[in-house]
């Protein structure tokens, strides 16, 4: 299945902003990429995982130096506050590449918007 790249949805845009709100220099560098990112579905199971593509020529600062491919993450909570999964941002070559969303299968479909379900207190990706 070949999907076309499209502008970020409001949900993905807000999710990226929240996950990258840690205030570090690396967070700020990846935040600067967000206006230059397009997306397409990243999974065939129906989850909200998306592939990300940065217009590298439009990013003035160039690639971000990062040791881990996991740039940021946060837990996903149900409407009643239960831990039901995780959202992770991956980057390769210094550019954002994936917003991976993992929700436990037996809980059913995740109610969107995703950004309203995030708990971003667990951080620290050198």
């Amino acid at each position: 299945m070949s999907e076309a790249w499209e502008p970020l949805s409001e949900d993905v845009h807000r999710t990226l902003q929240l996950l990258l709100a840690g205030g570090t220099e690396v967070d700020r560098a990846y935040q600067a990429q967000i206006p230059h990112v397009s997306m397409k579905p990243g999974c065939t199971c129906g989850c909200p995982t998306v592939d990300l593509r940065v217009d590298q020529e439009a990013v003035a600062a160039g690639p971000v130096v990062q040791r881990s491919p996991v740039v940021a993450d946060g837990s996903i909570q149900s409407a009643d506050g239960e831990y039901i999964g995780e959202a992770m941002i991956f980057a390769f070559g210094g550019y954002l590449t994936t917003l991976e969303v993992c929700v436990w299968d037996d809980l059913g479909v995740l109610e969107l918007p995703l950004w309203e379900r995030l708990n971003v207190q667990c951080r620290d990706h050198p």
Side-chain angles (χ1 to χ4, degrees):
M1 169 187 357
S2 176
E3 300 283 336
W5 293 97
E6 58 188 50
L8 294 180
S9 67
E10 180 182 0
D11 191 18
V12 170
H13 189 269
R14 286 183 176 208
T15 299
L16 293 175
Q17 287 179 316
L18 283 171
L19 289 172
L20 293 169
T24 69
E25 184 177 328
V26 169
D27 288 328
R28 287 188 297 277
Y30 282 120
Q31 286 172 348
Q33 293 181 9
I34 294 173
H36 311 289
V37 174
S38 54
M39 65 179 237
K40 70 178 182 178
C43 189
T44 58
C45 77
C47 74
T49 293
V50 292
D51 291 331
L52 304 172
R53 181 178 68 182
V54 177
D55 178 354
Q56 297 177 11
E57 293 178 11
V59 178
V64 180
V65 177
Q66 174 88 15
R67 290 182 291 187
S68 170
V70 178
V71 173
D73 66 340
S75 62
I76 301 171
Q77 297 177 330
S78 66
D80 59 358
E82 279 187 67
Y83 172 73
I84 60 170
E86 297 182 38
M88 297 172 282
I89 299 174
F90 288 86
F92 292 97
Y95 295 98
L96 301 172
T97 58
T98 309
L99 171 60
E100 179 77 30
V101 180
C102 303
V103 180
W104 313 143
D105 291 338
D106 58 345
L107 295 174
V109 177
L110 176 65
E111 292 182 36
L112 297 178
L114 176 61
W115 65 273
E116 289 182 345
R117 304 263 177 245
L118 289 177
N119 178 348
V120 293
Q121 293 177 0
C122 58
R123 302 189 49 87
D124 190 19
H125 297 281

